[in-house]
Amino acid sequence: MLALTTLTSSIGHGTVVTISVLYFTRAVEIPAAEVGLGLTIAAVVGMAVSVPAGSLADALGARKASIAFVLLQGLTLWGYALVGGFTGMLMAASLVAVAESASNASRGALIAGAIPAKERVRTRAYLRSVTNVGFSIGTVLGGLALSHDSSAVYAAELLGGGCMFIVSGFAYFWLADPARVPKPPSASRWLVLRDRPFAVVGLINAVLIMNAGILNIALPIWIVEETNAPASAFAALLLVNTVLVVIFQVPMSKGAEDVRGGARALLRSGLWLASCCVVIALAAGRSPWVAVAFLAVGVVLHTMGELLYSAGTWALSYELAPDHAQGQYQGMFGLTSQLGIAITPAITAVLIIRYGWVGWTVLAAVMATAGLAAPAVARWAERSRPDTPALAPAAT
């Protein structure tokens, strides 16, 4: 049932992501700069509710919260079809961002409660493979709308994307409701906000999640502006990445089931991502085929780092969270992920577009540093768990 909910929601997500920006600019005729501003504001609003939504999932039960938030996500997506200008777009996008952020936090808590601890990383790996399949299907469906470039077709696909989330929400009814772990009397209501080691783990997450920007933002700009490779090579490289993720996410996650294994995965991830930056930089100035070869190797290295990053962060986000506060902790981890994604375009624009291969080198150093820091930070966080007697004394 988790796979079914993941597949349906990722199809809807792929459809909406593919067409939403062009829908706003071409069908609704909102200037591109205003669309970018509105989506940025919406993302910030979404970040703000991540931890409170996770706390609500802890209080109400992760399954009930997941059902409510996924259904809300589908309904708010329907609001896109009613947008008539910038104000409406801002309101609709903010509601979607809030629902998506809340849904991610509650779903993380649901997996924590429904799946035995040793199986959580493997389950997330399997679900990520399913996500890539569903997102690819959604992208194809969105491409059909782009080929017609019609307001009616855009609206129909947005409504269809919302329906996929609603189907996903109803599928949660077939899952057993995990037993809630009672909060210790001495535990703080906002425990995660006092957990400084976990905040540093989140900072490492925010750095390493920029790997998505390397692939989706920096790579196409680099191909077009600094290499002799054809622009069409980017689509083929994205396909390579998607296929590798679908095939290898589960086996690459083996060994990352606990804190030590997760930290080790992040260490390796940082080094793989650093090497990818160096190899992609070497594609500049080469003949077309040599450039494509360097880029292909770089994407394979990136995918290895991406797979290890996912496994490592799943392990740390679950294993470092007290069972009674999984929603809070998944919400905080989601917030750091959103932060990393939000700052990636600006950082890649400055480093890659302005400084070229020097920027790639700096980015490689940042990735390697974050990976190398992960084991020590994870050990610190593990020693300082908020539910240990030193930080949360048992009631007497």
Side-chain angles (χ1 to χ4, degrees):
M1 295 313 300
L2 284 172
L4 175 60
T5 62
T6 299
L7 180 64
T8 52
S9 62
S10 59
I11 291 174
H13 186 60
T15 303
V16 173
V17 166
T18 303
I19 67 175
S20 57
V21 172
L22 289 178
Y23 165 72
F24 290 136
T25 56
R26 298 176 69 87
V28 188
E29 299 182 346
I30 303 172
E34 292 186 10
V35 172
L37 174 62
L39 293 178
T40 300
I41 294 173
V44 173
V45 173
M47 289 185 207
V49 305
S50 189
V51 175
S55 181
L56 185 62
D58 291 329
L60 296 180
R63 176 174 165 271
K64 292 177 183 176
S66 295
I67 292 170
F69 289 140
V70 175
L71 291 177
L72 180 63
Q73 197 171 353
L75 294 174
T76 54
L77 281 171
W78 285 355
Y80 278 176
L82 305 176
V83 169
F86 173 75
T87 302
M89 187 215 74
L90 178 60
M91 294 174 61
S94 296
L95 289 172
V96 169
V98 166
E100 181 177 4
S101 183
S103 174
N104 289 338
S106 60
R107 182 171 177 270
L110 176 62
I111 293 173
I115 304 298
K118 293 297 182 182
E119 293 294 321
R120 289 170 186 164
V121 172
R122 185 175 183 276
T123 299
R124 288 297 296 260
Y126 177 74
L127 294 179
R128 184 160 189 255
S129 295
V130 174
T131 297
N132 276 266
V133 173
F135 192 87
S136 299
I137 295 171
T139 301
V140 171
L141 294 174
L144 296 177
L146 297 181
S147 65
H148 287 84
D149 196 23
S150 160
S151 298
V153 175
Y154 283 135
E157 291 227 6
L158 288 170
L159 293 173
C163 286
M164 297 306 293
F165 280 97
I166 291 174
V167 170
S168 176
F170 279 116
Y172 280 119
F173 280 104
W174 276 267
L175 282 173
D177 196 1
R180 272 181 281 175
V181 178
K183 183 180 76 171
S186 58
S188 168
R189 179 180 178 184
W190 299 104
L191 190 61
V192 71
L193 300 181
R194 300 169 53 241
D195 192 344
R196 285 178 293 178
F198 191 81
V200 180
V201 172
L203 179 61
I204 292 175
N205 173 56
V207 172
L208 291 179
I209 201 173
M210 290 195 294
N211 75 78
I214 293 174
L215 186 69
N216 299 325
I217 300 171
L219 182 61
I221 293 173
W222 189 249
I223 290 173
V224 172
E225 296 191 1
E226 301 293 340
T227 79
N228 295 314
S232 59
F234 177 61
L237 294 170
L238 274 184
L239 179 61
V240 169
N241 171 263
T242 301
V243 171
L244 291 177
V245 169
V246 170
I247 295 173
F248 292 109
Q249 182 65 79
V250 173
M252 286 292 291
S253 300
K254 187 176 181 181
E257 293 82 8
D258 54 20
V259 172
R260 180 174 298 181
R264 186 167 55 245
L266 290 186
L267 167 61
R268 294 162 59 197
S269 171
L271 298 179
W272 280 110
L273 292 171
S275 65
C276 129
C277 293
V278 173
V279 172
I280 290 175
L282 293 174
R286 313 283 179 176
S287 66
W289 285 110
V290 174
V292 169
F294 273 108
L295 294 170
V297 173
V299 167
V300 172
L301 295 173
H302 173 278
T303 305
M304 296 290 290
E306 177 187 353
L307 296 173
L308 289 166
Y309 157 78
S310 297
T313 52
W314 292 329
L316 296 187
S317 66
Y318 283 126
E319 294 302 310
L320 294 175
D323 286 337
H324 71 275
Q326 281 286 351
Q328 278 189 48
Y329 276 70
Q330 298 309 313
M332 174 60 81
F333 215 74
L335 187 154
T336 62
S337 297
Q338 292 169 306
L339 176 63
I341 292 171
I343 64 176
T344 298
I347 290 177
T348 54
V350 171
L351 290 178
I352 307 305
I353 298 174
R354 182 174 298 180
Y355 297 108
W357 67 268
V358 175
W360 281 110
T361 304
V362 172
L363 192 57
V366 170
M367 292 292 168
T369 300
L372 291 169
V377 173
R379 288 194 296 270
W380 175 37
E382 190 174 29
R383 290 194 305 267
S384 307
R385 287 307 72 228
D387 55 350
T388 61
L391 290 179
T396 58

